[in-house]
């Protein structure tokens, strides 16, 4: 008989008072007892509606069946057959809008905690389930641009199909947003490295310090490779274009997070890269990146305020991230939009001027459009401002690849299977969609790999 | 890993290194830069490329011991390796069509001004080179400079070698004497480049400056290197590093350069580099 308790097993967590003083992981993961108990809540529906919510088609009831038996290795083997980065997805996927949103248990009570079970399997497997390289190569070569989730997934899929795969990464470390963007306390970097090592173990070569478009260009890659996959992400930070954005103390969320996560500036001066968080830190934006920046700033010792121009309801960040930020003492100023950043006589931020907004008519996406309330300006004292209002695709590939079709916003134009208008060139992830999620990028990488294999029999 | 194949002290503060990086050496064009990282704990630091040897697969960098990382780099010897070395980054300089040029270099900037002048000179442009140093002891590349131009002027702030005064004094004199240039290229400290731009502005001479702000990735991702150019935000790493100097907001760039000064001091104080052994404690 399934366990018919209406609630999920709660996720053990570091106490907020404690965790704002460290970068250790906030959520601690299920114990074996909790995992088995949670797995018993699964009804093993014949039609498995949860699977339809998974962009990489993990056979969810099958892996949960193994968890029920306490078999982490078996569960992970089932997941790994469809998903190259289970320990990552178990942590950062928005399960509440994907698999878990389709779970029948969610109709009366809470859905099965699929993400937490995926994480348990990934964390407790002994390594026996590690993927291995196929014995036979098929002689085809692929070049993959970027080493974030879309690229790693595409690389893994192609390698298992016998392709010779080389991944090119601009930074000194592979992983893309998993390394530079998502903080340690949400996604430990040792874990990302170990997932990447497993992709390497499949025979995938990773060349770091290689900027495609500069060190080598796409045309050159096409000379040696049968197919090129562009998974270069959305790495160019957007600014609002308000006065004062170039003052000292104003960071793009990318810069702030990269200093902290990739360059380990939170350990300065042990690591050489500095960061400074002076006075109150004001974060502009309401997405997951804004929450990450806010929570990093909190851990750097700052009082933190998030300003967001719409209401809580429209906030695009995951509920869990918003709740964690609130528990950690981050202040939310909603329906508030910055109009100017004010500096002192030395060119450092001293305050941010904001105007109150109210919600007007719905926009084309159905979200009510924020409208400024005249005369409601107010200055919030701040020493640090972090702009987290989104990213655009990096222009480098577009500028250096004449035949690559892109849209007005700089995104590579590709069909749902990643085919671009350029022969043998495929693309997926944020480079195509604009900034989205890890799992959607992985889904795109996987579909592109399938298309590449189909087109190169 | 990227091996140091040659190391030469150009003066007490400035060192030249050749680094084995064949892919960068083949692709690099004048005006572009690289980013290096010494080791796992290291910062990513941008440096403009001072020359390449594609046959040998090496890239020349010239740096001044100003902060913790450059001091640490200076302790490395031939056959030591850098953990990371990536490039070439940025847009190459656009010097096509320049028939008469004045290339102005200040301090460390002379290491970059020199190959720029040489490229123009070799391409047949009438090239003047005006270089400036604080004093005689800081002069670099003295023997190479004369061969890179049709006319060389060396200035020192204190008159200990060459003429006394700033590079702008020499340039002003030339302009007042009626010298005409298609372009002035200025490479050096921000206040120097700003002063050159102010000087050439009334003459309407195209003035190209090479910006080298703090950055992390060098590919457009961090936005830390942003500048205001002609009222628009530009990223030095992907839109530059060369810009029309008459449009650059130098005061803002100078202010932004101060952002991490306290942290630089802290790193120098807390992480002592032994002058004898290069050991970091």
């Amino acid at each position: 008989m399934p366990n018919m308790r209406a609630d999920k097993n709660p996720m053990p967590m570091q106490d907020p008072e404690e965790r704002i003083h460290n970068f250790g992981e906030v959520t601690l993961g299920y114990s074996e007892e909790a995992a088995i108990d949670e797995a018993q809540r699964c009804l093993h529906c014949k039609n498995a509606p949860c699977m339809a919510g998974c962009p990489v088609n993990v056979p969810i009831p099958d892996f949960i069946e193994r968890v029920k038996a306490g078999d982490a290795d078996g569960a992970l083997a089932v997941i790994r057959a469809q998903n190259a980065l289970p320990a990552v997805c178990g942590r950062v996927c928005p399960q509440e809008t994907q698999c878990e949103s389709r779970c029948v248990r969610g109709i009366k009570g809470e859905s099965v905690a699929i993400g937490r079970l995926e994480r348990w399997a990934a964390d407790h497997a002994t390594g026996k389930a590690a993927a291995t390289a196929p014995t036979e190569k098929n002689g085809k070569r692929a070049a993959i641009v970027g080493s974030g989730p879309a690229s790693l997934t595409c690389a893994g899929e192609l390698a298992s199909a016998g392709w010779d795969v080389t991944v090119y990464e601009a930074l000194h470390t592979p992983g893309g947003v998993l390394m530079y963007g998502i903080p340690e306390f949400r996604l430990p970097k040792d874990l990302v490295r170990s997932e990447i090592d497993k992709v390497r173990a499949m025979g995938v070569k990773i060349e770091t310090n290689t900027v495609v478009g500069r060190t080598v260009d796409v045309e050159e890659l096409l000379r040696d490779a049968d197919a090129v996959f562009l998974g270069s992400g959305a790495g160019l930070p957007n600014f609002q274009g308000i006065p004062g954005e170039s003052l000292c103390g104003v960071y793009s969320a990318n810069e702030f997070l990269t200093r902290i996560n990739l360059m380990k500036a939170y350990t300065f001066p042990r690591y050489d890269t500095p960061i400074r968080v002076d006075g109150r830190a004001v974060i502009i934006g309401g997405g997951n990146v804004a929450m990450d920046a806010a929570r990093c700033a909190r851990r750097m010792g700052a009082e933190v305020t998030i300003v967001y121009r719409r209401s809580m309801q429209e906030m695009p960040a995951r509920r869990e991230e918003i709740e964690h930020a609130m528990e950690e003492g981050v202040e939310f100023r909603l329906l508030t939009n910055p109009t100017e950043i004010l500096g002192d006589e030395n060119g450092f931020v001293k305050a941010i001027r904001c105007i109150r907004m109210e919600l007007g008519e719905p926009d084309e996406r159905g979200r009510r459009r924020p409208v400024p309330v005249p005369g409601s300006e107010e200055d919030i004292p701040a020493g640090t401002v972090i702009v987290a209002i989104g990213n655009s695709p990096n222009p480098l590939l577009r500028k250096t690849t004449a035949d690559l079709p892109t849209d007005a916003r700089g995104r590579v134009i590709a069909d749902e299977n990643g085919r671009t208008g350029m022969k043998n060139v495929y693309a997926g992830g944020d480079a195509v969609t604009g900034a989205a999620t890890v799992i959607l990028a992985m889904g795109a990488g996987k579909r592109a790999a399938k298309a590449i294999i189909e087109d190169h029999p | 890993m990227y091996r140091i194949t040659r190391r030469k002290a150009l003066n007490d503060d400035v060192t030249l290194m050749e680094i084995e990086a064949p892919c960068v050496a083949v692709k690099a064009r004048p005006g572009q830069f690289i980013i290096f990282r010494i080791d796992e704990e290291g910062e990513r630091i941008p440096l403009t490329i001072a020359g390449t040897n594609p046959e040998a697969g090496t890239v020349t960098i010239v740096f001044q011991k100003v902060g913790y990382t450059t001091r640490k780099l200076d302790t490395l010897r031939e056959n030591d390796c850098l953990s990371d070395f990536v490039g070439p980054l940025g847009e190459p300089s656009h010097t096509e069509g320049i028939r008469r040029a004045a290339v102005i270099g200040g301090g460390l900037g002379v290491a970059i001004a020199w190959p720029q002048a040489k490229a123009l000179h070799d391409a047949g442009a009438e090239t003047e080179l005006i270089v400036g140093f604080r004093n005689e002891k800081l002069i670099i590349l003295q023997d190479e400079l004369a061969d890179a131009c049709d006319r060389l002027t060396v200035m020192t702030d204190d008159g200990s070698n060459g003429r006394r005064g700033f590079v702008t004094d020499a340039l002003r004199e030339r302009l007042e004497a009626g010298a005409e240039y298609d372009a002035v290229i200025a490479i050096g400290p921000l206040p120097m480049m700003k002063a050159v731009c102010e000087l050439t502005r009334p003459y309407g001479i195209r003035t190209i400056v090479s910006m080298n702000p703090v950055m992390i990735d060098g590919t457009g991702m961090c936005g830390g290197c942003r500048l205001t150019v002609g009222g628009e935000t530009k990223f030095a790493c992907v839109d530059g590093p060369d810009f029309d100097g008459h449009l650059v907001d130098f005061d803002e760039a100078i202010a932004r350069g101060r952002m991490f000064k306290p942290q630089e001091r802290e790193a120098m104080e807390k992480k002592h580099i032994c002058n004898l052994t290069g050991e970091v404690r």
Side-chain angles (χ1 to χ4, degrees):
Chain A
M1 268 300 288
N3 170 356
M4 291 309 289
R5 212 187 46 247
D7 301 341
K8 285 179 182 177
N9 276 272
M11 176 59 107
M13 270 191 277
Q14 266 203 79
D15 183 69
E17 283 301 315
E18 204 172 296
R19 73 188 191 227
I20 58 170
H21 302 294
N22 68 57
F23 274 79
E25 198 170 9
V26 167
T27 54
L28 303 171
Y30 277 168
S31 64
E32 183 167 337
E33 297 71 45
I36 292 173
D37 185 69
E38 185 64 31
Q40 282 166 345
R41 295 185 62 233
C42 177
L43 300 177
H44 296 277
C45 312
K46 279 257 156 15
N47 60 347
C50 49
M51 280 183 67
C54 176
V56 294
N57 303 106
V58 169
I60 293 165
D62 292 358
F63 98 75
I64 292 183
E65 186 69 45
R66 307 280 199 297
V67 176
K68 216 193 268 181
D71 174 14
D73 284 310
L76 188 63
V78 171
I79 302 169
R80 243 184 217 295
Q82 298 300 326
N83 179 342
L85 310 169
V88 172
C89 291
R91 287 171 167 82
V92 304
C93 263
Q95 291 99 6
E96 64 280 5
T97 60
Q98 298 180 351
C99 52
E100 293 182 14
S101 75
R102 319 278 180 105
C103 177
V104 170
R105 293 297 306 267
I107 300 169
K108 270 178 94 175
E110 289 186 326
S111 63
V112 175
I114 300 168
R116 294 173 185 177
L117 293 177
E118 180 181 32
R119 169 175 169 178
W120 180 82
D123 290 359
H124 291 81
T126 54
K128 278 184 288 185
T132 45
T135 43
E136 217 164 305
K137 292 266 182 196
N138 66 6
K140 307 259 184 236
R141 297 159 73 102
I144 311 252
V145 180
S147 66
S151 294
L152 290 174
T153 304
C154 187
E157 294 283 323
L158 290 172
S160 0
W163 283 60
D164 194 341
V165 184
T166 307
V167 171
Y168 298 94
E169 167 56 46
L171 291 169
H172 54 264
T173 303
V177 74
L178 307 175
M179 289 304 283
Y180 75 73
I182 305 176
E184 178 79 19
F185 57 80
R186 211 149 72 75
L187 182 62
K189 301 308 147 209
D190 278 346
L191 200 143
V192 178
R193 274 188 283 270
S194 107
E195 295 278 47
I196 292 171
D197 285 345
K198 292 189 184 102
V199 174
R200 278 203 181 101
M202 299 168 79
V204 171
K205 291 185 281 292
I206 303 182
E207 300 278 355
T208 53
N209 293 327
T210 307
V211 183
V212 175
R214 294 285 187 215
T215 317
V216 61
D217 56 42
V218 173
E219 304 283 350
E220 287 169 299
L221 293 179
L222 280 169
R223 267 181 240 146
D224 288 331
D226 299 283
V228 171
F229 175 77
L230 309 176
S232 49
L236 195 82
N238 297 339
F239 287 90
Q240 274 186 296
I242 58 175
E245 283 179 334
S246 289
L247 288 165
C248 291
V250 182
Y251 297 94
S252 73
N254 272 2
E255 179 182 2
F256 189 75
L257 291 172
T258 302
R259 282 180 181 273
I260 290 181
N261 301 321
L262 180 72
M263 307 309 294
K264 307 232 179 297
Y266 64 90
T267 68
F268 179 86
R270 191 160 69 78
Y271 274 65
D272 300 342
T273 303
I275 186 131
R276 58 187 294 180
V277 185
D278 302 327
R280 176 173 289 275
V282 172
I283 286 85
I284 307 172
N288 289 323
V289 173
M291 300 306 134
D292 284 345
R295 298 172 69 197
C296 282
R298 195 80 185 101
R299 282 160 178 73
M300 299 299 297
E303 295 295 319
V304 179
T305 301
I306 285 181
V307 299
Y308 177 59
R309 63 196 180 123
R310 302 180 199 246
S311 72
M312 189 59 90
Q313 216 182 335
E314 289 82 18
M315 206 175 258
R318 290 180 73 188
R319 289 301 110 177
E320 183 183 318
E321 303 308 322
I322 297 171
E323 281 163 21
H324 286 172
M326 285 178 161
E327 288 165 11
E328 290 168 11
V330 172
E331 180 197 24
F332 284 72
R333 293 234 193 167
L334 306 169
L335 291 165
T336 303
N337 201 31
T339 55
E340 185 177 358
I341 303 168
L342 308 168
D344 65 15
E345 61 284 0
N346 296 316
F348 281 76
V349 174
K350 66 173 187 189
I352 178 163
R353 180 160 296 165
C354 296
I355 189 162
R356 238 184 35 246
M357 310 291 277
E358 54 189 20
L359 292 179
E361 294 303 305
D363 63 13
E364 62 281 359
R365 288 163 64 190
R367 293 200 300 181
R368 291 178 66 193
R369 200 188 299 272
V371 206
V373 178
S376 67
E377 283 91 349
E378 181 198 358
D379 292 350
I380 305 172
T384 303
V385 171
I386 302 166
V387 184
I389 57 166
N391 291 303
S392 303
N394 195 302
L396 202 51
L397 281 177
R398 179 171 85 228
K399 269 163 70 175
T400 56
T401 315
D403 299 336
L404 185 68
T406 54
D407 69 11
R409 288 160 71 180
R411 297 174 297 193
V412 178
I413 299 172
D415 69 15
E416 61 165 10
N417 296 309
R419 294 183 180 95
T420 70
M422 221 174 137
K423 195 168 168 2
N424 295 328
V425 176
Y426 302 76
D430 287 2
V432 172
T433 57
T437 61
V438 168
I439 188 66
L440 287 175
M442 290 177 64
K446 196 167 173 173
R447 288 194 302 278
K450 198 158 162 266
I452 291 171
I453 294 165
E454 269 171 29
D455 295 351
H456 298 83
Chain B
M1 300 292 270
Y2 302 82
R3 194 168 63 92
I4 299 166
T5 57
R6 180 170 170 236
R7 178 190 185 282
K8 184 186 172 199
L10 299 183
N11 65 34
D12 288 350
D13 281 335
V14 177
T15 304
L16 174 149
M17 282 182 181
E18 289 174 13
I19 313 289
E20 202 167 57
C23 301
V24 185
V26 169
K27 277 292 171 81
R29 298 288 170 268
Q32 290 185 298
F33 67 96
I34 57 90
I35 285 183
F36 74 88
R37 195 175 71 129
I38 296 176
D39 54 26
E40 183 49 37
E41 289 80 33
E43 277 187 276
R44 292 172 64 94
I45 299 282
L47 283 178
T48 309
I49 294 167
T52 56
N53 183 340
E55 289 76 36
T58 60
V59 177
T60 306
I61 54 172
V62 176
F63 60 93
Q64 187 165 11
K65 291 185 274 175
V66 282
Y68 172 77
T69 298
T70 41
R71 284 167 61 98
K72 191 164 162 187
L73 179 61
D74 192 58
T75 65
L76 300 185
R77 296 293 177 259
E78 283 173 12
N79 293 319
D80 286 345
C81 287
L82 302 179
S83 164
D84 303 286
F85 192 87
V86 57
L89 300 168
E91 290 289 319
S93 299
H94 294 293
T95 50
E96 312 82 39
I98 299 176
R99 306 306 310 153
R100 293 164 305 174
V103 181
I104 321 291
L108 181 69
V110 174
I112 313 303
W114 165 64
Q116 287 272 11
K118 190 166 178 347
L120 282 163
H121 183 62
D122 291 351
E126 197 182 314
T127 309
E128 289 189 25
L129 185 54
I130 301 174
V131 297
F133 303 91
R134 281 209 309 280
N135 61 54
E136 180 184 27
K137 279 200 224 145
L138 299 177
I139 293 180
I140 56 172
L141 301 167
Q142 193 157 21
D143 301 334
E144 287 88 345
L145 295 174
D147 294 338
C149 60
D150 300 287
R151 182 191 173 102
L152 172 68
T153 309
V154 179
M155 306 292 287
T156 47
D157 296 4
D158 64 358
S160 52
N161 183 306
R163 291 179 46 200
R164 183 195 182 98
F166 299 131
V167 287
T168 39
D169 296 328
L171 180 62
R172 181 181 301 109
E173 211 170 90
R174 294 288 298 144
L175 290 170
E176 280 169 2
E180 288 184 2
Y181 309 109
D182 300 323
V184 170
I185 299 171
I187 304 166
L190 290 170
M192 182 215 96
M193 293 196 286
K194 180 186 174 187
V196 169
C197 292
E198 290 317 314
L199 184 58
T200 56
R201 192 189 303 275
Y203 292 89
I205 304 169
R206 177 180 162 210
T207 303
I208 304 162
V209 295
S210 175
M211 306 297 282
N212 188 19
V214 170
M215 58 180 77
I216 302 176
D217 60 298
T219 63
M221 193 187 83
C222 77
C225 65
R226 62 192 183 277
L227 305 161
T228 304
V229 182
E232 282 178 52
T233 297
K234 297 280 182 191
F235 290 177
C237 65
V238 287
D239 299 316
D242 285 2
F243 290 99
D244 178 343
H246 292 150
L247 299 178
V248 171
D249 183 339
F250 280 103
D251 293 336
E252 179 187 278
I254 290 167
R256 280 186 68 76
R258 287 196 285 262
M259 181 143 165
F260 293 106
K261 282 280 182 279
Q263 283 71 23
E264 271 169 39
R265 271 197 302 277
E266 188 185 342
M268 299 273 271
E269 283 160 14
K270 291 202 178 155
K271 300 181 83 164
H272 173 74
I273 303 172
C274 177
N275 279 324
L276 289 175
T277 63
E279 189 191 357
V280 179
R281 277 182 283 145

